[in-house]
Amino acid sequence: MNEELAERLRAAAEAHQPDRARILARVERGMSGAPARHRQRSGARPWPRVALASLTAVGTLAVGGFAVAAIVQSPPARPEVSATPAAPSPPSGKPRPTPSAPATGRPTTPDRSSSTGPSPSASSPAGSTPPGSAHVQDGPLSSSGALGANSNSFWAQSNITLKSTQPLTALTVELRITQTGAVQSTGNWRTLPAEDFTVTVQNEAGAVVYRWILKPGRTVPAGQHVFAGQYNHATGAREAEHDGYRVDANGPRGALSVWGGFTPAR
């Protein structure tokens, strides 16, 4: 039922004022058989029918009044609101678990995935292997390291000798001289053409590092080749046990690598 109809019924109910005394008088006259005050027309209905009609009218008015009053007094229907169904209750005797709050502190164990240290699988540069570690031959490529015979108490030369039975299409030679005091480069050389290589000398992590890198498109022929680094050092006998070299190359069989240390001057 809409609001307009409800308002109309409410207004009709408030305006209706039934004459209860008149209705009851008519009923009593019908029951007692007393003549009506006004002249009855010929052919009027007998009193039983009049009484029945009066009772019917009273009942109709009473029922109608109650219905209208009920409609007027009844509150308007609430609009339907879709509610989210509540979560099912846990079984009796088992309390519902409460979600734990997110932790605000740091984990008790370190996150190893965020470590900034070097990966164990990373290739080790020359000289980074433990003293005495060496891998002097790899297939067609072999190597050796030794101090030059002309080394003395304040100057030295470290020689790397390579032997290859096959041509090399890529080659990087690295010589690492540990800083034992006043170590400073004074030069370098190689037996291969100088224009075939890019050469750098740098101070890195407590060492003087020489690198010879074969330029793209160049080839190292099969044979024996020498790479040498020259340097000053503090006066006196210098220990070379922490010096080292590493060689990485490409040949017909793929990648090749050798490394090692230096023997004393002969």
Side-chain angles (χ1 to χ4, degrees), residues 168-188:
L168 303 175
T169 57
L171 178 66
T172 298
V173 179
E174 183 177 284
L175 166 63
R176 182 176 294 266
I177 305 299
T178 302
Q179 182 60 261
T180 55
V183 174
Q184 185 176 4
S185 175
T186 60
N188 63 87

Side-chain angles (χ1 to χ4, degrees), residues 26 40 61 64 88 98-99 105 115 137 188 191 193 203 231 239 248-249:
R26 292 183 62 184
Q40 293 183 354
L61 289 175
T98 303
S115 174
Q137 185 166 358
N188 63 87
T191 57
N203 293 317
Y231 48 93
E239 298 292 338
D248 295 301

Side-chain angles (χ1 to χ4, degrees), residues 20-216:
R20 295 174 54 87
R22 185 176 180 182
I23 294 174
L24 291 175
R26 292 183 62 184
V27 172
E28 290 177 356
R29 285 196 304 269
M31 295 294 293
S32 62
R37 294 181 180 180
H38 60 275
R39 184 180 296 177
Q40 293 183 354
R41 297 180 182 178
S42 59
R45 296 180 180 180
W47 69 265
R49 294 185 179 181
V50 173
L52 181 60
S54 300
L55 290 175
T56 303
V58 172
T60 303
L61 289 175
V63 173
F66 291 149
V68 171
I71 293 174
V72 173
Q73 294 177 1
S74 60
R78 296 182 180 179
E80 295 184 0
V81 179
S82 59
T84 303
S89 301
S92 177
K94 296 183 179 180
R96 181 177 300 173
T98 303
S100 58
T104 57
R106 295 182 179 178
T108 57
T109 58
D111 184 1
R112 298 182 182 272
S113 62
S114 61
S115 174
T116 57
S119 171
S121 61
S123 298
S124 301
S128 64
T129 53
S133 174
H135 177 67
V136 298
Q137 185 166 358
D138 187 0
L141 181 65
S142 60
S143 64
S144 63
L147 291 177
N150 52 351
S151 299
N152 53 52
S153 60
F154 57 88
W155 180 91
Q157 176 177 296
S158 296
N159 301 327
I160 304 170
T161 302
L162 298 180
K163 295 180 181 179
S164 179
T165 60
Q166 297 178 354
L168 303 175
T169 57
L171 178 66
T172 298
V173 179
E174 183 177 284
L175 166 63
R176 182 176 294 266
I177 305 299
T178 302
Q179 182 60 261
T180 55
V183 174
Q184 185 176 4
S185 175
T186 60
N188 63 87
W189 55 270
R190 84 261 98 222
T191 57
L192 291 166
E195 61 271 15
D196 288 354
F197 289 86
T198 299
V199 183
T200 61
V201 182
Q202 297 175 328
N203 293 317
E204 299 179 4
V208 177
V209 180
Y210 302 77
R211 287 189 181 92
W212 295 266
I213 301 175
L214 185 66
K215 294 179 180 179

